[in-house]
């Protein structure tokens, strides 16, 4: 029974990733695309966690952390790009040097 539920949850996540990929390609605005990309990252993270339970192993924990960190950094960088038009700013030190 648990095998069926895990396979069903993976199927739902694959469908969700496909829908988010469509929104990523066809999104009407840049914030919609950023939200779709973040949702894809979260779904991938959850899918790796479900696969870890399905295979009864803990070796995927590092991948879960890596996907989570990269998804967060990507979302922050894209949000900063939307807000300011640049990700990294140079020459804006507070001490005037």
């Amino acid at each position: 029974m648990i095998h069926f539920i895990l396979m069903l949850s993976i199927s739902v996540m694959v469908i969700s990733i496909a829908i988010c990929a469509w929104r990523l390609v066809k999104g009407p605005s840049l914030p919609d695309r950023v939200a779709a990309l973040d949702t894809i990252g979260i779904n991938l993270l959850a899918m790796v966690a479900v696969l870890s339970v399905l295979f009864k192993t803990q070796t995927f924990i590092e991948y879960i952390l890596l996907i989570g960190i990269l998804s967060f950094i990507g979302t922050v960088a894209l949000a900063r790009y939307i807000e300011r038009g640049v990700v990294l700013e140079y020459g804006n030190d507070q001490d005037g040097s």
Side-chain angles (χ1 to χ4, degrees), residues 27-54:
S29 66
L30 191 57
D32 290 331
R33 291 184 171 122
V34 171
L37 190 63
D38 188 43
T39 306
I40 289 172
I42 291 169
N43 281 327
L44 283 175
L45 189 131
M47 189 181 298
V48 172
V50 170
L51 286 173
S52 178
V53 171
L54 186 65

Side-chain angles (χ1 to χ4, degrees), residues 42-93:
I42 291 169
N43 281 327
L44 283 175
L45 189 131
M47 189 181 298
V48 172
V50 170
L51 286 173
S52 178
V53 171
L54 186 65
F55 294 146
K56 297 178 183 168
T57 183
Q58 294 181 355
T59 58
F60 294 139
I61 301 300
E62 293 88 12
Y63 298 121
I64 292 171
L65 291 172
L66 181 68
I67 292 169
I69 290 169
L70 290 176
S71 177
F72 174 74
I73 291 172
T75 302
V76 169
L78 286 172
R80 187 170 173 106
Y81 177 75
I82 290 171
E83 180 183 349
R84 299 188 181 182
V86 64
V87 177
L88 297 174
E89 296 177 359
Y90 298 103
N92 291 335
D93 292 339

Side-chain angles (χ1 to χ4, degrees), residues 10-30:
I10 288 175
S11 301
V12 169
M13 284 185 261
V14 166
I15 292 169
S16 175
I17 288 173
I19 292 170
C20 288
W22 174 255
R23 178 54 57 195
L24 184 65
V25 172
K26 198 71 174 170
S29 66
L30 191 57

